[in-house]
């Protein structure tokens, strides 16, 4: 690698750290969520955020969009939301005597789909189709979506009344599912002090441009991963599908369906992003293990016996990571 390329890479890696610091000026104690959002952005993968209300999910995404100088739209999903409210529609112009396209909020760089499980299947399908195809059709015209394009969807795990849970096949479209946890006591004290101060400044500096984001994506793609680690990823994936072959007798009783091929693709991509953000140009086993839960937890479908015994996908993934050898 030429010296200029090395300097450019180091400068961009430092800017990624600066992004984290800049977001922390406004948001307290959500470094894990911000890290996962950046991994999604740098690998062109969408993120599903799950957490109870009030954990600064919307504030974090909004602040991150400002730091990255990206267009941001928040869409509140409700039972009466229509697909046209999301992607746009054709409206009649009386002066011109013709129909014109009115684009919806999906035409943005960062789209926060708030409480995505509160809208009916048609709206969810419209969103997920846009995520997959990176384009939408209004009338007879197809429009490409803005680049970069990242959907960050949230769902509340507590209040399930009046919700339309996302089908497993649709949840699989999300690269990562991130569980957002409560802040610590000291963090919550700082949150309370900041948000109780009506003069608190939420302004942040722009750190990365769109062009730099695309450069980072190229550099992440160039991160090396050895063949032995590629095979390790495949073994992890197959351990969810055929647990008995890996000595996971107890886990085999709980798993109804293992992960899809998207899991192996996304494990590879996200492990590269983890390595890049750590300042390395090669993947370590620890990178795969670090991101494995976020990539796999929404793709493993457990049966009713697991629910009755209080077994979670986290328990299953932890056991798989312990059981499956590296190399």
């Amino acid at each position: 690698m030429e010296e200029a390329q090395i300097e450019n890479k180091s400068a961009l890696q430092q800017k990624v750290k600066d992004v984290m610091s800049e977001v922390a000026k406004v948001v307290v104690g959500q470094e894990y969520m911000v890290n996962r959002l950046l991994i999604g952005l740098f690998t062109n993968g969408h993120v599903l955020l799950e957490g109870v209300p009030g954990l600064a999910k919307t504030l974090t995404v909004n602040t991150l969009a400002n730091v990255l100088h990206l267009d941001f739209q928040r869409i509140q999903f409700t039972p009466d939301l229509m697909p046209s409210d999301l992607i746009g529609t054709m409206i009649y112009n009386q002066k011109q005597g013709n129909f014109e396209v009115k684009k919806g909020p999906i035409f943005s760089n960062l789209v926060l789909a708030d409480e995505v499980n509160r809208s009916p299947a048609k709206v969810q399908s419209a969103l997920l189709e846009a995520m997959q195809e990176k384009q939408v059709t209004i009338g007879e015209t197809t429009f490409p979506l803005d680049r970069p394009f990242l959907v960050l969807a949230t769902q509340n795990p507590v209040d399930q009344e009046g919700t339309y849970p996302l089908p497993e096949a649709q949840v699989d479209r999300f690269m990562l599912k991130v569980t957002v946890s409560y802040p610590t006591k000291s963090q919550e004290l700082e949150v309370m002090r900041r948000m109780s101060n009506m003069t608190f400044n939420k302004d942040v500096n722009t750190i990365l441009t769109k062009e730099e984001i695309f450069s980072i994506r190229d550099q992440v793609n160039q991160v090396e991963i050895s063949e032995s680690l590629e095979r390790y990823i495949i073994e992890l994936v197959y351990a969810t599908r055929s647990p008995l072959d890996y000595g996971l007798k107890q886990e085999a009783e709980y798993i109804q369906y293992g992960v899809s091929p998207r899991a192996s693709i996304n494990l590879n991509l996200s492990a590269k992003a983890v390595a890049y953000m750590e300042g390395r140009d090669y993947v370590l086993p620890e990178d795969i293990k670090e991101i494995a839960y976020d990539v796999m937890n929404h793709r493993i479908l457990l049966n009713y016996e697991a629910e009755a015994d209080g077994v979670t996908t986290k328990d299953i993934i932890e056991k798989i990571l312990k059981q499956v050898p590296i190399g």
Side-chain angles (χ1 to χ4, degrees):
M1 189 181 292
E2 296 179 3
E3 188 173 340
Q5 289 179 311
I6 295 174
E7 289 180 0
N8 179 52
K9 183 177 179 181
S10 299
L12 287 177
Q13 286 173 326
Q14 181 57 50
K15 281 195 171 187
V16 172
K17 294 179 181 177
D18 293 341
V19 167
M20 300 282 291
S21 301
E22 197 68 22
V23 174
K25 290 181 181 179
V26 177
V27 182
V28 179
Q30 291 295 0
E31 292 85 358
Y32 182 86
M33 177 170 43
V34 177
N35 177 275
R36 287 340 190 222
L37 294 179
L38 288 174
I39 288 174
L41 180 65
F42 297 152
T43 56
N44 202 21
H46 308 287
V47 182
L48 179 61
L49 302 172
E50 184 174 88
V52 298
L55 296 181
K57 298 185 291 293
T58 303
L59 177 63
T60 301
V61 176
N62 197 356
T63 305
L64 184 62
N66 291 333
V67 173
L68 300 175
H69 197 59
L70 297 175
D71 294 329
F72 168 71
Q73 286 285 353
R74 175 184 175 272
I75 308 167
Q76 181 64 52
F77 278 58
T78 57
D80 60 348
L81 198 71
M82 300 289 289
S84 58
D85 297 327
L86 186 68
I87 65 174
T89 187
M90 303 288 291
I91 59 172
Y92 185 71
N93 187 324
Q94 289 184 334
K95 290 184 179 180
Q96 302 292 333
N98 59 5
F99 284 92
E100 296 178 348
V101 172
K102 182 183 179 183
K103 293 182 178 180
I106 197 74
F107 289 90
S108 192
N109 298 127
L110 289 184
V111 176
L112 178 64
D114 219 352
E115 294 191 285
V116 68
N117 55 337
R118 289 204 172 277
S119 65
K122 281 186 178 181
V123 179
Q124 293 175 1
S125 296
L127 173 67
L128 293 160
E129 183 181 359
M131 289 165 53
Q132 186 70 16
E133 305 299 331
K134 302 293 193 298
Q135 63 183 29
V136 297
T137 301
I138 304 174
E140 296 180 353
T141 309
T142 299
F143 299 91
L145 293 170
D146 297 341
R147 294 180 65 242
F149 173 66
L150 185 67
V151 171
L152 310 170
T154 70
Q155 61 181 15
N156 182 353
V158 178
D159 182 11
Q160 295 302 319
E161 186 177 344
T163 61
Y164 304 81
L166 290 168
E168 283 73 18
Q170 293 184 346
V171 173
D172 191 42
R173 300 282 180 88
F174 289 96
M175 182 180 197
L176 306 173
K177 179 184 175 185
V178 179
T179 302
V180 185
S181 57
Y182 284 112
T184 63
K185 289 180 180 179
S186 59
Q187 289 169 347
E188 188 152 350
L189 179 62
E190 179 61 25
V191 169
M192 182 181 67
R193 286 171 175 168
R194 286 189 188 185
M195 297 308 165
S196 299
N197 181 1
M198 290 186 288
T199 61
F200 176 66
N201 186 8
K202 294 183 181 179
D203 294 337
V204 289
N205 298 315
T206 300
I207 304 295
L208 284 174
T209 64
K210 289 183 182 180
E211 291 72 23
E212 287 173 328
I213 291 171
F214 295 136
S215 295
I216 290 174
R217 285 184 174 182
D218 291 338
Q219 292 176 1
V220 167
N221 194 47
Q222 293 168 13
V223 172
E224 296 288 335
I225 180 168
S226 66
E227 185 178 345
S228 64
L229 289 184
E230 288 178 332
R231 294 187 181 279
Y232 175 57
I233 289 173
I234 299 301
E235 296 297 331
L236 290 175
V237 165
Y238 264 79
T240 69
R241 302 173 189 167
S242 306
L244 288 175
D245 295 346
Y246 296 83
L248 297 164
K249 185 178 179 181
Q250 184 67 57
E251 287 66 28
E253 298 177 5
Y254 296 133
I255 299 175
Q256 186 170 352
Y257 292 107
V259 300
S260 73
R262 283 196 182 101
S264 53
I265 296 168
N266 291 334
L267 266 175
N268 187 308
L269 278 171
S270 54
K272 287 182 178 182
V274 171
Y276 178 86
M277 292 172 70
E278 290 290 330
R280 285 181 275 103
D281 57 4
Y282 56 90
V283 175
L284 294 175
E286 288 73 18
D287 300 327
I288 298 170
K289 290 182 176 182
E290 179 182 331
I291 201 69
Y293 175 69
D294 299 306
V295 172
M296 298 169 71
N297 80 90
H298 56 301
R299 294 184 163 95
I300 297 176
L301 184 60
L302 302 182
N303 55 29
Y304 289 113
E305 188 175 348
E307 186 176 350
D309 291 347
V311 175
T312 65
T313 52
K314 184 177 182 180
D315 300 327
I316 300 291
I317 294 168
E318 286 178 351
K319 191 63 184 292
I320 287 173
L321 290 174
K322 288 180 182 178
Q323 190 75 4
V324 177
I326 301 170

